[in-house]
Amino acid sequence: MLTPELLAAFPAGEGREATVRVCSGCHALEIITQQRLGAGDWAQMVDMMAGRGAQGTDADFNAITAYLAKAFPAA
């Protein structure tokens, strides 16, 4: 369930809506907020999820990858 507190864990920015919409179709969003990956690793993760059936357009997946790399970068 998308609560205001959980949504607040996702910084505002381009790709946020697509990330929440597409990723929550398969798993809990908390999984994302616990990850800190580099841009290449996020790209691999998004590609893997798309290959497993995540529902989105190429534009969605590109926006999600860019958003995750900026919002949840490697430490």
Side-chain angles (χ1 to χ4, degrees), residues 22-59:
V22 173
C23 298
S24 67
C26 298
H27 58 76
L29 292 173
E30 290 88 350
I31 292 171
I32 296 169
T33 64
Q34 297 168 358
Q35 304 293 314
R36 297 293 184 268
L37 302 173
D41 291 327
W42 277 123
Q44 288 180 348
M45 182 73 69
V46 172
D47 286 346
M48 182 176 66
M49 295 299 152
R52 290 184 176 178
Q55 298 295 303
T57 65
D58 287 344

Side-chain angles (χ1 to χ4, degrees), residues 14-23 32 42-43 45-47 49 54-72:
E14 186 175 341
R16 178 185 181 194
E17 183 276 330
T19 299
V20 169
R21 176 176 41 83
V22 173
C23 298
I32 296 169
W42 277 123
M45 182 73 69
V46 172
D47 286 346
M49 295 299 152
Q55 298 295 303
T57 65
D58 287 344
D60 286 334
F61 293 127
N62 289 337
I64 291 166
T65 300
Y67 174 80
L68 292 173
K70 184 175 179 182
F72 302 102

